[in-house]
Amino acid sequence: MIRTHSPRPHRRGAVNALVLVLGIFLLLGLALGGCAVSKYNGIVAQEPAVEASWTELQSQYQRRSELVPQLVATVKGAADFEKSTITEVTAARASVGKMQFTGSPENQADLDAYVAAQSKLSGSLSKLLLVAENYPNLTATAGFRDLQVQIEGTENRIAVARGRYIESVKKFNTMIVVFPSNIIAGMLGKEKKPQLTTPAGSNEVPAIDFGGAK
């Protein structure tokens, strides 16, 4: 009669330990894989958000720029209106028109130059509207009052769009530098986006007195 021997206890223990270790590594691999997928999806989803917020900001800047020729044409009709103020606004608009981006800006210096040009246009518009208060016949016209209201609304929308862009860039830049997202970002070749920097107080909507317009 042939007797069979069951595996020795220490051999069964070694096999069980090996299975346990493999199971742990498998679970870790799945967890890390799931984390990597999550971070990848987060980065991929956030970049279009930056592009969308920039498109909205640029759209509002463009809307303001389109109002300038109408405003200039209106104030030119006022007798003795300060020509230097009109020239300043026109030159500022021309400078802005030379700076446009396809997609969100990738270079901080270019973005800073763009913001500086927009700030100059904003300042020159505020000055023009302030000077216009000295011309009651001008400020009393329906066309001028309508332009004032449109400019005020556009300035408000610019402030909101600027805030959204700043937040979307901040979120993206934070995402690609913290662990483990930075590993995925490095593999994808993602770099930090240039952030919008503005002079002190420029995040506030310009205070424009519309000469008592209702």
Side-chain angles (χ1 to χ4, degrees), residues 52-82:
S53 61
W54 171 256
T55 298
E56 174 60 19
L57 176 57
Q58 196 167 33
S59 174
Q60 296 305 330
Y61 277 137
Q62 180 62 30
R63 172 57 182 157
R64 182 177 66 181
S65 182
E66 291 172 355
L67 291 172
V68 172
Q70 301 174 56
L71 182 62
V72 168
T74 301
V75 301
K76 278 184 176 180
D80 301 323
F81 194 91
E82 295 183 12

Side-chain angles (χ1 to χ4, degrees), residues 128-210:
L128 186 149
L129 293 171
L130 182 62
V131 171
E133 294 178 8
N134 298 322
Y135 300 82
N137 290 336
L138 171 63
T139 57
T141 63
F144 186 80
R145 292 198 304 269
D146 180 62
L147 286 170
Q148 289 174 322
V149 171
Q150 289 189 62
I151 290 173
E152 181 188 44
T154 302
E155 291 287 359
N156 277 301
R157 288 189 289 272
I158 285 173
V160 172
R162 183 168 54 221
R164 288 174 178 168
Y165 177 75
I166 289 173
E167 285 303 313
S168 64
V169 171
K170 180 180 178 182
K171 185 175 181 179
F172 178 83
N173 287 348
T174 300
M175 184 178 294
I176 67 171
V177 297
V178 298
F179 181 84
S181 299
N182 60 334
I183 298 175
I184 305 300
M187 294 171 62
L188 295 174
K190 302 298 181 182
E191 298 181 354
K192 293 177 69 175
K193 302 283 186 182
Q195 183 57 286
L196 192 71
T197 56
T198 52
S202 60
N203 283 331
E204 301 174 4
V205 177
I208 300 175
D209 185 346
F210 291 151

